[in-house]
Amino acid sequence: MFLFQQYFVDPFTVIIHFFAELFNDNYGLAIILVTLLIRLALMPLMLKQYKTQMTMKEKMEVLKPEMEAIQQRLKTEEDPKKKQEIQMEMMGLYKKHGINPLNMGCLPILIQMPILSGLYFAIRNSHEIATHQFLWFSLGQPDIIITILAGVIYYFQFKVSQVNIPEQQREQMKFMGLLSPLMIVIFSFNAPAALPLYWVVGGLFLTIQTMISQKIYKSKQANISTNEN
């Protein structure tokens, strides 16, 4: 606990107070700036994730005929043992083409957990941050409007991120598309409003970053295809 306080909570407290002083003690703007800096630091990981998604989409297109044949057999097969064998055959096909259907790019999410926890306790432990009024809400008190806004933005971000995902994987990820925004709303419901503010700013940044990245990788892929032809 001491190490977490020293390496996550205290640095966030210092950084937020530092930026707040630059904005005439506006802690809301300070949190927005800190959020943008965190997102910029995570950008290389996110770009790598987009590249992986594009590569997976290309591989899924290649094995699509084989996959559809296996899925058709799976639908018509009634013997549980044979169904299991067909499912193993499907996993073997994934392995053959170097595809991990569960590859969701969890690393950026895992990295955010100590960041969110550090931000949470930095707000709770700072009287100045917890009592600061920003826009229509207090940073230290729960606010239903900013909480719902965070959930809506992250659902929209999820939908945007699905553009370059193969259809089959998109179906597998539908549950996550609802679960992730729902968890953000539940987690933020009784939390200081500064946390959903972090989600709102981070979600907007991530949505724009996703659209730009998709356009860049789509253009690169089109150029590669043109050169190959």
Side-chain angles (χ1 to χ4, degrees):
M1 189 63 184
F2 174 77
L3 292 176
F4 178 77
Q5 177 77 28
Q6 182 179 4
Y7 290 105
F8 286 97
V9 180
D10 291 344
F12 268 118
T13 304
V14 172
I15 292 170
I16 292 173
H17 277 268
F18 172 77
F19 286 125
E21 290 180 6
L22 297 179
F23 296 113
N24 296 318
D25 292 332
N26 191 321
Y27 289 93
L29 290 179
I31 290 174
I32 290 174
L33 183 56
V34 169
T35 302
L36 293 176
L37 291 175
I38 291 171
R39 281 297 169 187
L40 286 171
L42 291 174
M43 185 179 290
L45 291 173
M46 301 306 298
L47 293 176
K48 184 177 180 181
Q49 180 182 351
Y50 300 142
K51 186 177 180 180
T52 300
Q53 289 175 351
M54 288 298 295
T55 302
M56 185 174 294
K57 182 181 180 181
E58 295 165 17
K59 291 181 177 180
M60 289 293 287
E61 288 296 327
V62 172
L63 62 82
K64 187 175 181 181
E66 293 180 77
M67 184 59 65
E68 288 179 346
I70 293 176
Q71 288 174 339
Q72 187 61 36
R73 286 165 51 204
L74 190 61
K75 287 180 182 179
T76 57
E77 184 58 61
E78 296 181 359
D79 188 337
K81 187 175 180 180
K82 289 185 177 180
K83 270 194 172 186
Q84 189 175 5
E85 290 176 357
I86 295 174
Q87 289 172 344
M88 291 299 294
E89 185 179 341
M90 186 181 297
M91 294 307 297
L93 187 62
Y94 280 136
K95 187 176 181 180
K96 175 184 174 183
H97 290 269
I99 295 175
N100 180 6
L102 300 178
N103 185 7
M104 299 280 290
C106 295
L107 185 57
I109 299 175
L110 294 176
I111 290 176
Q112 282 189 78
M113 295 312 295
I115 292 174
L116 283 174
S117 300
L119 183 60
Y120 176 88
F121 286 107
I123 295 163
R124 283 297 194 192
N125 296 343
S126 172
H127 176 75
E128 292 84 359
I129 299 175
T131 57
H132 183 77
Q133 191 74 20
F134 181 68
L135 297 178
W136 69 88
F137 55 88
S138 171
L139 292 177
Q141 298 297 321
D143 183 84
I144 187 63
I145 297 176
I146 192 71
T147 295
I148 293 174
L149 188 59
V152 171
I153 287 175
Y154 262 84
Y155 179 74
F156 178 70
Q157 188 278 325
F158 173 81
K159 298 298 288 184
V160 170
S161 70
Q162 296 295 284
V163 174
N164 288 326
I165 300 293
E167 182 63 32
Q168 184 177 356
Q169 190 183 9
R170 196 180 303 171
E171 289 295 321
Q172 295 172 346
M173 293 168 64
K174 272 186 178 180
F175 178 71
M176 287 299 298
L178 294 174
L179 181 62
S180 180
L182 182 62
M183 291 302 296
I184 286 174
V185 170
I186 293 174
F187 186 74
S188 302
F189 193 76
N190 291 317
L195 282 183
L197 175 62
Y198 167 86
W199 288 117
V200 166
V201 177
L204 288 173
F205 181 93
L206 196 56
T207 301
I208 296 171
Q209 177 182 285
T210 301
M211 291 189 291
I212 293 174
S213 300
Q214 288 172 344
K215 188 174 181 180
I216 291 173
Y217 284 118
K218 189 175 182 180
S219 299
K220 286 183 178 179
Q221 186 58 38
N223 291 335
I224 293 172
S225 300
T226 302
N227 293 334
E228 288 178 350
N229 293 332

